[in-house]
């Protein structure tokens, strides 16, 4: 039986936890507080709002055009998540379950692609999107984000698929299940945590990314996403901090909602895997 921790140790742990919470949450508090302060845009930010107002949010969503940016980002992010999840899962099953020529070389190429810095891919992907005639359209941006998500997703999901015992699939076949029934009832629940993790990665990439969005959509203001829209509040000589913080708060809310929704699926998938494994 372990001895009870000393009072000084418990105090030390408590202080460390509080310090981490303050360090993590204070930027979020500062963002929301400044968004609700009428004096923030004039450079008068303070720890507590001096003049409480929602005008910054109203301006960002109406005159600032953020409603359109949110719609474009939502379409891009959701399509990216759905397409990349489907492609990554099927590719992961292929490389984890089937033996074919150049399989090892393909896996190594996927790993190498994951190591390439995103900045090095801007020009090649820009030229490919241009050759497809998809410049200045969110469809071209979706193609880029799906491409960026594939290497990480396939490599991660391959590990989850490989960890599922083949005997479970064989037992399903012996019981008369078709391949689709085995995939839906046996394999999919067990790899769900990995699928959720890759979906979170794809969603955050598509929602927050700026360099590719600016490169692909630079000539079409009606196709802008939230990351480019946020840039419009930064001026050459002065920044509209009230609008910037309000826009940043609005951008953060969908990410939090998405994470809360898929986090439940992540927990459910882990429990299903524990029971069936």
């Amino acid at each position: 039986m372990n001895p009870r921790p000393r009072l000084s140790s418990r105090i030390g742990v408590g202080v460390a936890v509080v310090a981490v919470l303050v360090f993590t949450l204070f930027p979020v508090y500062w963002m929301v507080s400044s968004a609700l302060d009428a004096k923030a845009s004039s450079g008068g930010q303070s720890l507590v709002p001096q003049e409480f107002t929602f005008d910054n949010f109203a301006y960002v969503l109406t005159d600032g055009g953020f409603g359109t940016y949110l719609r474009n980002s939502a379409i891009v992010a959701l399509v990216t998540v759905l397409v990349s999840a489907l492609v990554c899962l099927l590719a992961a099953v292929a490389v984890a379950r089937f033996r074919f020529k150049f399989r090892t070389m393909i896996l190594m190429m996927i790993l190498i692609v994951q190591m390439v810095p995103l900045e090095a891919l801007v020009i090649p992907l820009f030229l490919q999107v241009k050759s497809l005639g998809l410049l200045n359209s969110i469809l071209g941006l979706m193609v880029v984000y799906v491409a960026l998500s594939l290497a990480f997703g396939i490599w991660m999901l391959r590990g989850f698929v490989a960890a599922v015992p083949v005997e479970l699939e064989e037992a399903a076949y012996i019981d008369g299940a078709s391949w689709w029934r085995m995939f839906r009832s046996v394999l999919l629940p067990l790899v769900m945590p990995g699928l959720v993790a890759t979906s979170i990665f794809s969603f955050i990439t598509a929602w927050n990314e700026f360099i590719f969005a600016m490169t692909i959509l630079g000539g079409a203001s009606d196709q802008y996403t939230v990351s480019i829209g946020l840039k419009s509040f930064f001026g050459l000589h002065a920044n509209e901090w009230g609008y910037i913080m309000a826009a940043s708060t609005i951008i953060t809310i969908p990410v939090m909602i998405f994470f809360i929704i898929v986090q439940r699926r992540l927990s459910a998938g882990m429990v299903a895997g524990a029971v069936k494994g």
Side-chain angles (χ1 to χ4, degrees), residues 9 17 29 35 79 95 126 144 155 157 167 179 208-209 227 236:
S9 299
V17 170
Y29 167 78
V79 172
V95 296
F126 171 79
V144 170
W155 191 261
L157 283 173
E167 289 77 9
W179 185 89
N208 293 335
E209 200 281 329
S227 58
L236 182 61

Side-chain angles (χ1 to χ4, degrees), residues 72-95:
N72 294 339
S73 283
I75 295 173
V76 171
L78 292 177
V79 172
T80 299
V81 168
L82 293 176
V83 175
S84 62
L86 178 62
V87 175
C88 289
L89 181 57
L90 294 178
V93 172
V95 296

